[in-house]
Amino acid sequence: MQSNLSSDVIVEILMRLPVKSICRFKCVCKLWCLLISDPTFIKRHLNLAIIDKDIEHQRQKLILHSSSTPSLYHVECDAMTSNNVMAVKLHFPLIRSSFDKVKFIGSFNGLLCISLEPERLFLFNPAITELKVKRIPNLYIDINRSLDDRVSRPPIYGFGYDHSFDDYNVVKIMYESIVYVYSLKTNTWRRSQRFSYRRFNSDSGVPLNGAVHWVFARGKDSPLVSMPRLIVAFDFAEGKFRELPGPYDDAENVTAVGVLGGCLCWLGEQQDFWVMKEYGVKESWTKVVIGVPFLNLRPLSFLKNDEALLVINEGLIVYNPREDTHSEIVIHGINGRGKLEIETYVESLVSPNVWNWELKEISD
């Protein structure tokens, strides 16, 4: 195929296109196919969404699953400003029936970690057309189970990215004390630091800055209801847990952490939550008060007009912080009326099945 454009100009154009269009352009010619499949191009395409907020908003999606249907759906986040939001069904044939319990563990760089009970884990890129699903190998360990009923509690997961080793990891906490970490690069599980905290639920960890974060309690002996909550992070590079300072001490109403606009959030059961403006710095916590009462809140993302997309009391809303107003979002096109599982992701070309090469630092 002849072109008057230089290869550098072609790359600059392709980097700004949606993933779906780029995948189609693989068929244009062999040169374009090699270019689009090149790890350097994949990294540059990904990095553009990190540094350019307009590109990020264009590629940002919601993935949804209803407990009453064996299907996954996605919605463009930009569509949340409309009164007519229509979901599109995704091809994910591994969900066999509505009895398969689907849980989104987390997402990073376009990859989603999905759990299909009992304990079947997958990495999934909804945006690409080839090699889009990878089954994570089962973890088998030999343990002398006591009669302690804690061993029957479901495991806790977290999914994220280790920048220092350029690797995607899944952390699994089971039997209340045993920790294993899965590496996509090696496709293996390894034993890690012992878990010495108390959990309040089985919520998945929140990825940020090379770690995953939860709300736990310190110690094992005191009554759980009276134990103050604290933020605990598992650092993938160091392979160990560390504690982060909360906005105040003796917190007993905090139920979870979240991420909004690249900042860690401390979530309670009131009409406010806290945002850590500078990661790890206690003095950077800022209180955010919203005019929507809630029992539980989960921030999803900022939209292009600086409105916030939130899950409040299991409903999806768009909140305008400048005017302190909100609107409820109704998503059409999803069969059934079951409980919705929701996760955000940014479309990318990263494949969970092509990970035998090193991603190099790209400088524009």
Side-chain angles (χ1 to χ4, degrees):
M1 177 180 177
Q2 297 295 322
S3 173
N4 294 325
L5 300 177
S6 69
S7 59
D8 290 341
V9 172
I10 293 174
V11 168
E12 289 297 322
I13 294 173
L14 290 175
M15 281 200 312
R16 286 161 172 77
L17 295 179
V19 172
K20 185 177 181 179
S21 299
I22 293 176
C23 290
R24 288 203 304 264
F25 290 157
K26 281 186 174 183
C27 302
V28 170
C29 64
K30 185 176 180 180
L31 177 62
W32 280 31
C33 182
L34 292 174
L35 171 65
I36 293 168
S37 303
D38 184 84
T40 300
F41 176 81
I42 292 173
K43 186 67 172 180
R44 292 185 67 180
H45 183 269
L46 177 65
N47 282 348
L48 188 61
I50 296 173
I51 62 177
D52 189 319
K53 291 302 178 184
D54 290 335
I55 297 291
E56 180 187 22
H57 291 314
Q58 292 171 16
R59 298 178 187 173
Q60 197 164 52
K61 302 286 190 294
L62 289 186
I63 186 169
L64 308 101
H65 174 262
S66 170
S67 58
S68 62
T69 177
S71 300
L72 298 181
Y73 299 83
H74 78 134
V75 174
E76 294 187 7
C77 285
D78 278 354
M80 294 301 161
T81 56
S82 167
N83 294 324
N84 187 23
V85 180
M86 183 65 66
V88 178
K89 184 182 289 189
L90 290 167
H91 179 63
F92 189 79
L94 298 170
I95 305 176
R96 302 185 182 96
S97 74
S98 58
F99 294 104
D100 282 344
K101 188 172 181 181
V102 176
K103 184 175 183 180
F104 297 137
I105 305 301
S107 71
F108 208 92
N109 288 350
L111 291 184
L112 290 118
C113 184
I114 300 176
S115 168
L116 301 184
E117 295 188 356
E119 298 189 31
R120 290 182 294 142
L121 293 176
F122 299 88
L123 294 180
F124 175 48
N125 185 337
I128 59 178
T129 56
E130 300 173 337
L131 302 173
K132 61 193 300 177
V133 181
K134 178 180 178 62
R135 171 77 183 268
I136 294 177
N138 289 342
L139 174 60
Y140 299 102
I141 64 172
D142 185 15
I143 184 171
N144 182 19
R145 298 192 180 190
S146 68
L147 296 179
D148 191 336
D149 63 357
R150 291 179 302 175
V151 301
S152 63
R153 298 185 69 183
I156 307 171
Y157 291 105
F159 173 66
Y161 178 66
D162 181 356
H163 297 268
S164 59
F165 290 96
D166 191 23
D167 194 11
Y168 294 88
N169 295 147
V170 178
V171 59
K172 180 176 183 179
I173 305 170
M174 57 188 135
Y175 307 129
E176 304 303 286
S177 61
I178 298 174
V179 181
Y180 274 81
V181 178
Y182 168 77
S183 162
L184 179 57
K185 266 191 172 180
T186 64
N187 196 35
T188 58
W189 292 90
R190 69 178 186 275
R191 185 76 177 262
S192 191
Q193 179 191 18
R194 188 176 180 85
F195 179 70
S196 59
Y197 296 92
R198 293 279 298 277
R199 64 153 107 181
F200 295 96
N201 49 47
S202 298
D203 290 349
S204 299
V206 175
L208 183 68
N209 285 4
V212 283
H213 307 74
W214 300 265
V215 172
F216 291 141
R218 190 186 296 113
K220 298 276 188 178
D221 301 325
S222 302
L224 187 60
V225 68
S226 64
M227 300 176 74
R229 277 75 161 164
L230 64 150
I231 301 174
V232 178
F234 182 83
D235 190 293
F236 287 122
E238 298 182 2
K240 63 182 182 181
F241 294 94
R242 52 182 167 83
E243 298 176 9
L244 273 72
Y248 51 89
D249 298 327
D250 301 324
E252 294 185 2
N253 68 326
V254 176
T255 57
V257 287
V259 172
L260 184 62
C263 296
L264 193 66
C265 300
W266 177 252
L267 310 173
E269 299 174 338
Q270 304 172 26
Q271 284 185 272
D272 60 67
F273 62 96
W274 293 77
V275 176
M276 185 182 251
K277 297 290 188 178
E278 187 176 350
Y279 184 77
V281 179
K282 181 180 177 65
E283 293 74 20
S284 72
W285 282 109
T286 303
K287 189 175 184 178
V288 178
V289 179
I290 64 175
V292 187
F294 60 86
L295 293 175
N296 55 74
L297 177 148
R298 182 183 169 217
L300 293 176
S301 67
F302 279 119
L303 304 178
K304 61 182 178 182
N305 52 7
D306 292 329
E307 292 178 323
L309 186 61
L310 310 172
V311 177
I312 290 185
N313 303 331
E314 298 184 3
L316 197 60
I317 74 163
V318 171
Y319 177 73
N320 186 325
R322 293 185 301 274
E323 301 177 5
D324 194 26
T325 58
H326 72 280
S327 58
E328 297 183 6
I329 302 298
V330 178
I331 298 178
H332 304 280
I334 299 179
N335 297 327
R337 297 181 179 273
K339 180 181 178 181
L340 282 180
E341 183 87 6
I342 304 174
E343 184 59 80
T344 60
Y345 69 97
V346 176
E347 287 190 336
S348 79
L349 294 164
V350 177
S351 170
N353 288 286
V354 184
W355 207 245
N356 56 353
W357 33 261
E358 287 190 22
L359 289 176
K360 300 178 182 178
E361 291 294 330
I362 303 299
S363 57
D364 292 322

